[in-house]
Amino acid sequence: MKKLKQSQYYGIGLLVLMLVVFWAVFKVLAPTTFGSPEKLATYMKSALIYAVGGCGLYFICVMGPFDMSVGANIVLSSIIACNASEKFGYAGLIIAPLICGTIIGLINGIVYIKLHISSLIVTCALSLIYEAFSVYATNGKNVILSADYRAFGDYPVNLILALIAYLLCAFILKYTKIGTYTYAIGSNEVVAKNMGVNVPKYKIVAFTLAGFFFGLQAILTISFGTSMTSASNLSSMSRNFTPLMGTFFGLAFKKYGHPVIAIVIGEMIIQLMFNGFVALGAPTTIQNVVTGVALLVIVALTTKPVKGLVVK
């Protein structure tokens, strides 16, 4: 049993078991309203989208900081994608949000490093600015993606784009200097700095990479939802937490060597929970309860307490 727990596939097997158990429980409790093949396909569409954002957040969170501008980034990138598609077709739909998301990530990283203050404060403040841009870009109205450019909202094109994102994330983490230094900084920033790693540079790179993945998520989001409303007063913040939960699954199971797979399966588990409670007749606000409880549980499991440490 000890050897089994040390296996690199133990964590993935445990996640798959959790996925099957959650499906089975909700299927038994709500056999007619939950878990049919068609509904599972719909659940997985949402999971694929959030997992792309979770992959982006992983680059940041594994180092220690957080990015609370995810929702604002996705809203603004989605709006720009929709507007660009009207002029340039699919080229605008793909290229515009990638550029927008990457630039926002770069700005986040530079401001965070230059101001030397908490990433939470920096990204929350910048979210207000990005939301203001989204209002300006739409004049406070909804933008609707033309029916001619919604291929990324359904199978198999959405699955292909998501797989490209997952493979890219896994490749960067495992086979590049960026991935190596990302883990080194996350493990011990002081030691990494003493070994010659340019910590500020690679933190900026992490935020920039995250922004690129949020641009990918924006493509899937606007294609799946077909419309986007501008945000204000940090209303975009609600979009932060579902990708973040997938990231925490990746952090919890990174010791098994497959964080990207853990992120994807984790998002699938979260979607089963969301839709399972809805199938049981619970109000849609139960999603907020599930999100809050899941975040607390996952953070508790992924944080190693230190004896005598003062909680801040």
Side-chain angles (χ1 to χ4, degrees), residues 11-228:
I12 303 304
L14 183 61
L15 283 171
V16 172
L17 178 62
M18 291 171 60
L19 185 69
V20 173
V21 168
F22 275 113
W23 174 84
V25 169
F26 285 114
K27 187 63 177 176
V28 170
L29 296 176
T32 59
T33 56
F34 176 84
S36 66
E38 296 80 11
K39 290 181 179 179
L40 283 175
T42 302
Y43 305 160
M44 294 309 105
K45 283 183 186 178
S46 298
L48 291 174
I49 295 171
Y50 290 122
V52 171
C55 287
L57 267 173
Y58 186 82
F59 289 103
I60 299 173
C61 293
V62 78
M63 288 185 177
F66 287 92
D67 186 351
M68 301 304 289
S69 68
V70 177
N73 191 338
I74 292 170
V75 169
L76 182 56
S77 296
S78 297
I79 289 170
I80 290 177
C82 191
N83 292 337
S85 68
E86 295 178 0
K87 295 183 178 180
F88 306 106
Y90 274 110
L93 178 67
I94 296 170
I95 297 174
L98 292 181
I99 293 175
C100 178
T102 303
I103 291 175
I104 288 176
L106 177 61
I107 293 172
N108 288 348
I110 292 175
V111 175
Y112 165 60
I113 292 299
K114 294 299 182 183
L115 294 185
H116 301 287
I117 58 178
S118 169
S119 59
L120 292 175
I121 297 174
V122 169
T123 51
C124 280
L126 289 173
S127 292
L128 290 169
I129 298 174
Y130 304 145
E131 288 182 344
F133 285 146
S134 74
V135 174
Y136 176 78
T138 62
N139 292 320
K141 300 178 181 178
N142 285 1
V143 293
I144 300 175
L145 183 65
S146 171
D148 297 329
Y149 307 116
R150 297 178 181 176
F152 291 104
D154 205 353
Y155 298 112
V157 184
N158 62 339
L159 180 60
I160 293 171
L161 182 61
L163 286 174
I164 291 173
Y166 305 150
L167 292 173
L168 177 61
C169 179
F171 177 82
I172 293 172
L173 288 171
K174 191 168 184 178
Y175 297 107
T176 70
K177 184 187 294 186
I178 295 172
T180 301
Y181 288 170
T182 294
Y183 280 123
I185 294 169
S187 177
N188 193 313
E189 184 174 322
V190 175
V191 172
K193 186 176 181 179
N194 290 337
M195 292 178 65
V197 177
N198 189 335
V199 174
K201 172 186 173 181
Y202 283 96
K203 284 188 176 181
I204 293 174
V205 169
F207 275 95
T208 306
L209 275 174
F212 176 81
F213 279 87
F214 301 150
L216 288 171
Q217 183 180 344
I219 297 172
L220 295 169
T221 298
I222 190 64
S223 300
F224 179 61
T226 71
S227 67
M228 181 60 67

